[in-house]
Structure formats: C-alpha cells, structure tokens
C-alpha cells in the first residue's frame, strides 16, 4: 500500500498538539487472563474492555478462524499483561458497555495509555464512543503513526468504496463539496457520499467545507446503501482526516 509520508490532521487552531495524559491516580488490579487483543479478565472476576481500540476478532459468531491480526494482538497484550501481574487501570466516564464489561484504560508502568502503544503498532484501530472519547487526539496520532509505516492491520490497501454495511475504513478522493447552511456533503470519485452528521461540532463541519476536489480523505464508519448509492455520516472528528 502506498501511503503518503505526511499526514495532516484537520485541527483548529492549526498546530494544536495531540497531548497524551500521564496518570498519577489509578486502581491496581491483578490480571487473571488476557481473553483477546482488547479484553482482560481480572483475578476478582471483573472483565475489562479496553477503551480506545478495537482489535481483530479471535472468535466471534461461530467464526472458525481468527481474523487477520487477531493472534498477534492477543500475543502482544498477553506479553504485556501476563497472568497474576498487577495492572494499573483508569476507568472511563461510562463504566460499562452493552455486554456488561467494565470500560477502562490500562496504563504502562509510567502511567501512560497502553492503548496508545497498541495503536502505534497497528494491532487494532481507534474506536471510541461518547462520553469515553476524551483522549481521541492522542490516540488518533498513534494510529496515524501505524498507517504511515504500514504496520499491522494497516499493511493492506484501503478500499475507496464500501463492501458492506459493517463498520469499515476507506480512503477516498474528493470530487465535489456542497455546502448548504450548516450541512456539508462530499461526493467522492468512487461514488461514496459523505455527510456531516448532526452531532459533528461546527468547527469540524467547517473543516469539511474547506476541502477541495482532489483532496484525499481517510474516513471510517458504518455506510448505508440507498437508491442514490453508498452514504456515510460523519458524527465524530476522529472519523476522518485529510491526507496530502
């Protein structure tokens, strides 16, 4: 995959830095077992889902074989968090997901986000849900580092057209930009239509409006197939950025 050496995040003001936190307050828990690349069982019975990353599935919905990269992510996390080791944890604002798992950020020994290292290694993709999205700039920068170097899951070329309705990432080229009041619509050369979602803050809608034909845009989300073709709504700033 040919990936430009230089990435430009659509940030205002320009020069805004992706600051990464260093935590001094945290809970310490004993690890029982790493289930997969983003889930850990604790010795006290709690199940932790890592915030900020979605790694390939080891086994899901009767899948006979792991998704590409799943075993690598599992090995990496197992090496970092072997059984009985003490793990530093910071719990997210929303503490549980729809499956009852606790949502938390595991930390390195120095108090930094472990998920940042995982993203930088290409072990998974950035995945966030409100209100647990505070550190998206830091985590997105780590993911971009992996893309620049074609690491892990980013070693494969990205399609320009959706293949199904599932969550996916695409690399599209802008053909035209349409601004109507506070709604921004982008038409890509591959036929995918991008829309600024209702929840996308005005500052990011403005960034979409400044795009010009020929700009290349990394996007992610769940596309919808309609009569007019594939449509994708952008509701979060970490769903897209421009490449140059």
């Amino acid at each position: 995959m040919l990936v430009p050496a230089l990435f430009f995040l659509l940030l205002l003001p320009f020069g805004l830095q992706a600051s990464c936190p260093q935590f001094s307050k945290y809970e310490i828990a004993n690890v029982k077992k790493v289930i997969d690349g983003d889930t850990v069982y604790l010795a006290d019975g709690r199940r932790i889902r890592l915030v900020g990353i979605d790694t390939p599935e080891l086994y899901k919905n009767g899948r006979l074989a792991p998704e590409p990269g799943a075993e690598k992510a599992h090995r990496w996390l197992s090496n970092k968090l072997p059984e009985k080791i003490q793990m530093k944890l910071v719990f997210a604002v929303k503490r549980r997901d729809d499956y009852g798992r606790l949502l938390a950020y595991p930390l390195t020994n120095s108090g930094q986000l472990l998920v940042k290292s995982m993203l930088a290694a290409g072990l998974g993709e950035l995945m966030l849900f409100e209100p647990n999205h505070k550190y998206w700039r830091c985590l997105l920068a780590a993911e971009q580092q992996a893309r620049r170097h074609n690491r892990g899951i980013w070693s494969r070329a990205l399609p320009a057209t959706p293949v199904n309705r599932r969550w996916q990432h695409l690399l599209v080229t802008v053909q035209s930009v349409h601004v109507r009041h506070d709604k921004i619509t982008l038409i890509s050369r591959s036929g995918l239509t991008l829309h600024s979602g209702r929840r996308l803050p005005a500052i990011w809608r403005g960034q979409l409006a400044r795009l010009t034909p020929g700009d290349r845009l990394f996007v992610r989300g769940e596309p919808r197939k309609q009569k007019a073709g594939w449509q994708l709504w952008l509701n979060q700033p970490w769903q897209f950025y421009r490449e140059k």
Side-chain angles (χ1 to χ4, degrees):
M1 175 176 64
L2 295 177
V3 179
L6 185 60
F7 285 66
F8 287 86
L9 262 178
L10 296 175
L11 296 175
L12 278 182
F14 293 114
L16 183 63
Q17 302 211 353
S19 60
C20 296
Q22 184 166 3
F23 297 90
S24 58
K25 295 182 180 180
Y26 43 78
E27 178 179 324
I28 295 180
N30 292 318
V31 173
K32 180 179 181 180
K33 185 179 181 180
V34 171
I35 302 303
D36 55 27
D38 51 37
T39 310
V40 178
Y41 269 128
L42 301 182
D44 59 13
R46 290 180 294 175
R47 186 169 53 152
I48 303 296
R49 173 61 165 87
L50 278 57
V51 175
I53 193 170
D54 186 38
T55 60
E57 298 289 347
L58 270 177
Y59 304 103
K60 185 178 181 181
N61 298 329
R63 183 186 300 276
L64 297 178
E67 291 181 343
E71 293 176 324
K72 182 179 180 180
H74 180 241
R75 285 195 304 271
W76 191 97
L77 192 59
S78 297
N79 288 334
K80 292 292 183 181
L81 301 175
E83 293 182 15
K84 299 181 180 181
I85 196 173
Q86 289 190 324
M87 175 174 63
K88 297 177 181 178
L89 283 173
V90 172
F91 288 96
V93 175
K94 180 183 177 182
R95 284 211 167 199
R96 290 190 183 272
D97 65 8
D98 295 338
Y99 303 98
R101 298 174 297 187
L102 286 165
L103 301 171
Y105 303 95
L107 305 179
T108 64
N109 290 334
S110 60
Q112 308 214 352
L113 295 172
L114 184 64
V115 165
K116 175 189 173 184
S117 299
M118 297 181 69
L119 290 169
L123 298 174
E125 75 158 313
L126 176 62
M127 181 66 70
L128 294 168
F129 298 95
E130 294 180 336
N132 301 338
H133 62 294
K134 183 176 181 180
Y135 309 116
W136 71 267
R137 290 180 176 86
C138 162
L139 298 179
L140 180 58
E143 181 189 70
Q144 286 182 306
Q145 181 182 345
R147 282 203 62 218
R148 281 198 299 271
H149 297 285
N150 301 336
R151 294 173 183 156
I153 65 169
W154 306 112
S155 62
R156 300 180 296 274
L158 297 182
T161 305
V163 294
N164 52 47
R165 296 172 181 265
R166 297 178 59 187
W167 183 274
Q168 57 200 281
H169 24 76
L170 307 163
L171 185 60
V172 302
T173 301
V174 175
Q175 178 173 296
S176 60
V177 181
H178 306 272
V179 180
R180 184 177 181 183
H181 304 299
D182 61 344
K183 296 181 180 179
I184 316 300
T185 302
L186 305 177
I187 310 298
S188 75
R189 291 179 182 174
S190 61
L192 173 67
T193 301
L194 304 168
H195 305 272
S196 59
R198 294 180 179 179
R199 300 196 308 274
L200 188 66
I203 187 173
W204 304 104
R205 292 198 300 270
Q207 293 293 340
L208 287 175
R210 290 183 178 89
L211 292 171
T212 58
D215 284 340
R216 298 210 309 163
L217 198 66
F218 171 90
V219 297
R220 70 180 112 213
E222 292 180 330
R224 304 177 192 173
K225 185 67 176 292
Q226 299 182 351
K227 290 183 179 180
W230 286 104
Q231 316 286 314
L232 178 61
W233 275 260
L234 303 173
N235 285 294
Q236 303 295 337
W238 54 269
Q239 279 186 263
F240 64 94
Y241 56 86
R242 183 184 61 189
E243 296 184 6
K244 198 170 183 178

